[in-house]
């Protein structure tokens, strides 16, 4: 199961690592240096490039994770930490899908019309949801690694 685990972890690194960089590094720097119009356009460009990678990561994580569960004998045979990882992963994926199909679309709408204050409110919502997903990602990694070692 080396290759499925490798693909699983590759997806995790791209998704959680990307959220960490966006939230902890780019966000405070952009807030410090850029006025709202430029800052909002920057985030629009960043999300447009990052979200396709997240879709790819979600596909990799889900496919490799389910494949490994089948190799382990199916859902009834695996330990609690894997059920927890699956549940947390699904919540993260639902949050991402909501961000992509709802909030990100609203951000595009307001930026196209140069409605900076509305776009700023939507960006705040995306920031909150990505912050929640970042925490969930850290918790999931903890559950996956520590749960498997006990
Ligand atoms: C949503 C569907 C997911 C499924 C079905 C799934 C399933 C699995 C399975 C079966 C393993 C192998 C466990 C073992 O060999 O003991 C695994 C490993 C792992 N998963 Fe997931 N996973 C999912 C999502 C996630 C997410 C969202 C993360 C992190 C954000 C994550 C992080 C990890 C890590 C770090 C490992 C390696 C654990 C180790 O080898 O110590 N998984 N996953």
């Amino acid at each position: 199961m080396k290759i499925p685990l490798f693909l699983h972890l590759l997806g995790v690194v791209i998704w959680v690592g990307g959220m960490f960089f966006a939230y902890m590094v780019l966000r405070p720097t952009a807030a410090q240096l850029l006025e709202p119009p430029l800052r909002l356009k920057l985030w629009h460009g960043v999300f447009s490039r990052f979200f396709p990678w997240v879709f790819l990561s979600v596909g990799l994580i889900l496919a490799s994770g389910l494949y490994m569960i089948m190799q382990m004998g199916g859902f009834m045979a695996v330990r609690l930490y894997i059920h927890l990882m699956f549940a947390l992963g699904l919540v993260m994926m639902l949050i991402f899908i909501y961000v992509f199909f709802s909030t990100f679309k609203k951000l595009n709408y307001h930026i196209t019309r140069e409605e900076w204050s509305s776009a700023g409110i939507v960006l705040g919502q995306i920031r909150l949801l990505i912050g929640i997903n970042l925490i969930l990602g850290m918790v999931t990694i903890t559950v996956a690694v520590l749960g498997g070692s006990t």
Side-chain angles (χ1 to χ4, degrees), residues 136-148:
L136 287 176
M138 301 285 190
V139 172
T140 312
I141 292 172
T142 309
V143 166
V145 176
L146 298 186

Side-chain angles (χ1 to χ4, degrees), residues 31-146:
Q32 199 179 19
L33 297 180
L34 302 176
E35 294 303 317
L38 206 52
R39 190 165 74 222
L40 287 154
K41 284 181 190 165
L42 169 83
W43 280 112
H44 178 261
V46 167
F47 292 144
S48 302
R49 284 175 177 79
F50 181 51
F51 287 166
W53 288 105
V54 178
F55 269 111
L56 185 70
S57 303
V58 164
L60 274 181
I61 292 170
L62 203 54
S64 57
L66 291 175
Y67 177 81
M68 287 189 285
I69 289 176
M70 292 312 136
Q71 294 296 305
M72 291 165 155
F75 276 99
M76 301 305 276
V78 295
R79 288 173 54 198
L80 178 66
Y81 78 94
I82 294 187
H83 288 276
L84 260 178
M85 173 170 22
F86 186 41
L88 286 165
L90 285 185
V91 174
M92 288 176 66
M93 290 168 192
L94 288 176
I95 291 176
F96 168 67
I97 284 168
Y98 176 75
V99 167
F100 185 79
F101 287 104
S102 176
T103 18
F104 182 51
K105 294 278 174 275
K106 283 187 205 155
L107 184 70
N108 293 348
Y109 176 90
H110 292 304
I111 287 180
T112 313
R113 282 161 188 73
E114 304 199 340
E115 297 163 354
W116 305 121
S117 109
S118 309
I121 292 170
V122 176
L123 183 64
Q125 293 166 355
I126 296 181
R127 181 174 57 216
L128 176 70
L129 291 167
I130 291 188
I132 292 172
N133 250 2
L134 178 57
I135 293 169
L136 287 176
M138 301 285 190
V139 172
T140 312
I141 292 172
T142 309
V143 166
V145 176
L146 298 186

